[in-house]
Amino acid sequence: MNQPSPEQMQALLQYASQKLGMPPDQLAALVKNGGYEGLTSSLSDNSRRTLERLAGDPQKLQALLSSPQVRELLKRL
């Protein structure tokens, strides 16, 4: 699978922040400063399981990046 473009990553960040209930800047800082472990340590059990399912399945991640909601977010960037 190809690496997501910067636009796709930004859209994924926006979408994930909505799903996880935290501001995009906070989510980005958690990922940048603590990596995956830093992010998952701040999540509820349910949110952590959701993220782990997504991250562990490249097909689901690609489907998410191709979803109409993410494409709409990309248009707004």
Side-chain angles (χ1 to χ4, degrees):
M1 183 170 113
N2 294 332
Q3 289 280 37
S5 70
E7 292 83 14
Q8 288 174 318
M9 290 303 297
Q10 183 63 32
L12 180 58
L13 179 64
Q14 291 289 329
Y15 185 78
S17 71
Q18 290 173 354
K19 290 292 185 185
L20 298 173
M22 68 175 58
D25 293 342
Q26 181 184 1
L27 179 58
L30 281 170
V31 171
K32 182 179 179 182
N33 296 328
Y36 184 76
E37 290 79 22
L39 172 61
T40 57
S41 68
S42 67
L43 298 176
S44 69
D45 288 341
N46 189 41
S47 293
R48 185 172 38 255
R49 282 190 297 273
T50 299
L51 180 63
E52 288 170 353
R53 279 194 307 269
L54 239 182
D57 189 336
Q59 289 177 333
K60 283 185 182 177
L61 184 55
Q62 185 62 41
L64 173 66
L65 292 173
S66 301
S67 73
Q69 295 94 340
V70 172
R71 282 190 279 164
E72 183 60 32
L73 284 169
L74 284 171
K75 287 180 190 175
R76 293 180 190 172
L77 295 176

